[in-house]
Structures are given as C-alpha cells and as structure tokens.
Amino acid sequence: MQAMRQAKTQKIQAAGVREKPLLAALAGEQKSRPPLWLMRQAGRYLPEYRALREKAGGFLEMVYNPDLAAEATMQPVRRFGMDGAILFSDILVIPQALGIGLRFAEGEGPVLEAVRPGDPLPVFEKQKLEMRLAPVYETVRRVREGLQAESFSDTALIGFAGAPWTVACYMAEGGSSRDFAKARTWAREDAAGFGRLIDLVTEATIEYLNGQISAGAEAIQLFDSWAGLLVPGGNSHSHSETDTYARWVIEPAQRIISAIRARFPDVPIIAFPRGSGELYAEYARQTGADAIGIDQDISPGWAAENLQKKTAVQGNLDPQSLLAGGAEMGRAARAILDCLGGGPFIFNLGHGVIKETPPEHVAQLVDVVRSWRP
Ligand code: CP3
C-alpha cells in the first residue's frame, strides 16, 4: 500500500500537474468534476459512424484504415466532448495478427478459425505481429495529432486490448457464445494446454500494448468481458473454482500490467474484469491496476468501500438505463455520482453502449455528469 502510494506520487510528480481530467483521476487526484467517457462510444448508435462504415465496406476494413479508424475515434469526442477518446480497433485483432482467420459476418458478430485442444498453436513471431498491427499504431498517431489539431487538449487517448481469458474464449469457440463452454471445458480438462494458449495471447498482448503506447496512447484499458464466467456461483466456493479465476483472470493481468509498468511506468492501466462480483476486490489487490472498471451488477456503495480507497474506480451506469434515457436515467447517474464522485472516479457505463441507443440520450447523460456537484 505504502509502496503503491509512493509510486503514484512519483507518477504525478514525473508528469507535473496532470492537466487532463482523465489522467488526473487515474493518478488518484480528482478535479472538481469526474471525467467521463463511454465504452463503445464509437459505433453503430451514431449516424456518422454508420455512414463511415458504409464507405469503408466493413468493420475490419475500418479498423485497418488509419484515416477511417482515426475518424471513428474522433466522432464521439466531437459530438459530446468526451474526456477519453478510445482507439477504434477490436480485441480480436490479436488472434488475427497471430495468423488466425477472422471476419465479421453481418448480424452475426465475429467468426474466427477455432483453436481446439491439441491443435498446434500459432507461433509468436514478433516482426509479423508488428507488421500486421502497424495500421493500428498509425491510427493512434493520427488521433493524437487530431486531438491536438482540433483543440481537444483535455481529452486523453485510451489504447486497449482484450485480456487473455476473453480473447481465448473467442479463439476456442470460433466466435461469440453465451457461455463459452469450449474454453471452459478446455481450461478444466487440459489446463497445461490451455495455459499455453493463454501464454501466447499474453505475450502478443504485451507487444500490442507497448506498440500503442509507443505510438501515443496515454492510458490503457484491459477488457476482460468474460471474467465473470470464472467466478464461482452460489456460496459453495470450492477451492479449485477460486483457483481458476486466479489462474486465468488475475495472473495474466498481473503479467501484462507488470510488463507495461516496467517499460512505461507513467502510463496508467484501467482493468475491467466484467462480472467479477466480490472478486473485484481480490483482483484490484493482486493486480494493482490504476483503476478498476465495474459493471452494473456492482453497487457503487460497495465499490466506494472496497475498491476506491485503494484505486480509482470507473463505471457503472447500466447501458439499458442509457437506452431508456429520461428522468430515471438522470436519477441513476446521479446516484452513482453521489456515491463515487468524490473520487478518484471516472464516469462510464457498466458495459458498452447498446446500438439502439439514441445519441440524444448520450448528450443528456453528458449534461447530467457535467452539472453534478459534490
Ligand atoms: O468505441 C469503442 O469502444 C472503441 C472500439 C471497440 C470496439 N470493440 C469496436 C467494435 C472496443 C474497445 C471493442 C472491444 C471489444 N470487442 C470487446 C470488449 C468489450 C465488450 O464489448 O465486452 C469485445 C468482446 C469485442 C469483440 C467484438 N467486436 C464482438 C463480439 C463484436 C460483435 C458484436 C457487435 O457489437 O457487433 C465486435 C464488433 C465491433 N467492435 C463493433 C465495433 C464498433 C461493431 C462493428 C460494426 O458492425 O460496425
């Protein structure tokens, strides 16, 4: 704890006074109002995104075209003045850069070449990976320039990657799934083999995040969207189940965070192990992430008590509430702010913006957060 505070103080000193509200909150300082950005703030709920995507022809065509990807990153910043600009890319570019086939089928989500237990794994070749990911790094450079050129000097650029467990879920399944039974079965029946897949993704993810930071990302978010699948249910926690969460969720995050810290001690890391329930506290303690992203199942009061004393917290308005909008959304957002807004806190959703959300509701939410006072 002492060491962590000291490291944080050094970070603040190293950077001088942090001007960008998002970076200030991540350094443990809170300005008068909490910074705000939304997961999936760039996307199909925005008409200007739909127009851009039509022009590109497809989602991956956008991701690998730095002009279009930078434009998609900037769209919600221009419209709403967000404090964070999240890089327009996807967590599944990592399997693709490792040589695994990927496409996005209309109305179906991602389709990958599935990796099965016993299959030979792709070989990690640093140069090939860097070559394939170069357009994403170029997007990062262009967004940094664009933020400057368009005078969004308060907006911080957030890079990201999927956490190894979540990426491995898609790799084992060959696409989306409700329960990712293939990954869970593989992890349970052949932990050594599954561990090699996790190690491969971990190594590639470290390279990828280093590349984003070198190109200008100012903070990083690690998305573990399916961490909750490894949280033991009910109250019959067997030891082996808790170990599973530690092994596939906490350990890879520890490795990624310590590798990034070793090279870029000033770049803060937000970790989002969605669905972790009470294990959020254990995750926060063991990974030492600068901020913890909480989903809508966590009560803000619990987060204030169990997370915010040690790290910054990000979250956690229900995306359904944003979809609905109106007075009820205003009340829900203010209830979160009243609990966590004293800081360090970053306002966000508990998961991504739902594509049917009217952009006007996002504008309303931005007003609610901006006009809130402690
Ligand atoms: O605005 C942003 O958040 C920036 C970019 C971003 C995207 N995906 C763009 C995207 C980010 C940070 C992600 C993360 C991501 N991608 C996650 C983790 C967060 C989460 O939602 O749990 C996951 C699991 C993925 C994998 C993925 N990408 C799926 C399962 C899908 C299909 C479902 C869907 O929403 O269409 C995608 C596609 C995707 N990624 C879109 C966007 C804008 C939609 C593409 C389109 O049709 O235009």
Side-chain angles (χ1 to χ4, degrees):
M1 213 37 245
Q2 187 75 29
M4 225 167 95
R5 282 227 180 83
Q6 221 164 35
K8 278 201 179 140
T9 311
Q10 280 163 3
K11 272 188 195 181
I12 296 164
Q13 285 164 349
V17 181
R18 295 228 178 239
E19 294 292 350
K20 300 190 179 188
L22 180 68
L23 300 180
L26 288 170
E29 307 165 55
Q30 186 78 18
K31 308 255 175 190
S32 55
R33 59 158 187 88
L36 149 90
W37 69 279
L38 305 179
M39 292 185 275
R40 287 291 183 91
Q41 64 188 20
R44 289 164 297 192
Y45 76 103
L46 287 178
E48 59 268 37
Y49 172 86
R50 295 194 297 267
L52 195 63
R53 196 182 138 198
E54 191 142 341
K55 195 168 113 188
F59 171 64
L60 286 175
E61 284 75 7
M62 266 175 92
V63 165
Y64 293 112
N65 179 324
D67 278 334
L68 300 181
E71 179 63 19
T73 308
M74 292 297 292
Q75 285 176 342
V77 177
R78 285 191 199 117
R79 203 191 249 258
F80 306 113
M82 296 295 187
D83 296 295
I86 181 137
L87 167 67
F88 189 82
S89 178
D90 199 79
I91 67 166
L92 300 177
V93 301
I94 283 296
Q96 192 177 32
L98 288 168
I100 288 172
L102 169 69
R103 63 191 173 85
F104 279 82
E106 203 56 55
E108 202 189 325
V111 181
L112 295 86
E113 230 178 294
V115 181
R116 304 211 157 73
D119 283 355
L121 291 179
V123 180
F124 178 78
E125 290 174 84
K126 188 171 161 170
Q127 282 193 324
K128 220 175 237 177
L129 194 89
E130 292 302 316
M131 194 188 71
R132 288 173 170 157
L133 295 170
V136 180
Y137 304 151
E138 182 56 27
T139 303
V140 171
R141 280 184 215 103
R142 290 192 196 187
V143 175
R144 272 304 283 277
E145 286 165 16
L147 288 170
Q148 197 66 36
E150 295 183 38
S151 300
F152 291 110
S153 48
D154 270 0
T155 300
L157 173 51
I158 307 165
F160 74 94
W165 162 252
T166 289
V167 173
C169 276
Y170 287 96
M171 291 172 83
E173 196 70 35
S176 290
S177 160
R178 200 164 300 155
D179 58 2
F180 290 97
K182 290 188 176 111
R184 292 158 78 189
T185 304
W186 186 355
R188 192 175 55 241
E189 292 180 353
D190 170 26
F194 189 73
R196 284 189 288 276
L197 175 62
I198 290 286
D199 288 348
L200 172 69
V201 175
T202 301
E203 193 177 7
T205 301
I206 291 168
E207 275 303 314
Y208 183 42
L209 292 175
N210 278 334
Q212 291 181 34
I213 296 167
S214 300
E218 299 171 278
I220 289 297
Q221 176 152 323
L222 195 60
F223 285 90
D224 214 343
S225 305
W226 300 106
L229 294 175
L230 296 177
V231 173
N235 45 19
S236 57
H237 296 192
S238 80
H239 232 291
S240 70
E241 279 175 316
T242 315
D243 289 351
T244 300
Y245 181 87
R247 179 149 186 206
W248 308 126
V249 174
I250 292 181
E251 279 178 31
Q254 282 173 325
R255 285 174 56 195
I256 292 167
I257 290 171
S258 63
I260 302 297
R261 286 253 166 86
R263 215 170 130 194
F264 300 103
D266 296 335
V267 175
I269 299 163
I270 307 165
F272 177 54
R274 188 171 76 95
S276 288
E278 290 192 354
L279 287 176
Y280 263 114
E282 197 60 20
Y283 183 99
R285 196 175 64 73
Q286 290 198 34
T287 64
D290 298 274
I292 298 290
I294 52 171
D295 59 79
Q296 60 268 20
D297 292 344
I298 298 295
S299 94
W302 184 90
E305 188 59 34
N306 294 284
L307 301 173
Q308 203 177 26
K309 289 174 179 161
K310 296 168 205 145
T311 76
V313 170
Q314 172 177 287
N316 75 337
L317 183 73
D318 191 331
Q320 293 287 349
S321 169
L322 181 61
L323 175 67
E328 186 50 49
M329 180 194 77
R331 274 194 293 276
R334 279 189 294 271
I336 293 168
L337 287 160
D338 289 342
C339 241
L340 291 161
F345 179 60
I346 299 158
F347 195 96
N348 206 316
L349 301 177
H351 199 191
V353 177
I354 296 165
K355 74 169 189 288
E356 290 79 13
T357 304
E360 298 70 34
H361 294 185
V362 176
Q364 185 205 342
L365 176 62
V366 171
D367 278 346
V368 168
V369 178
R370 297 264 194 261
S371 56
W372 178 84
R373 293 289 174 275

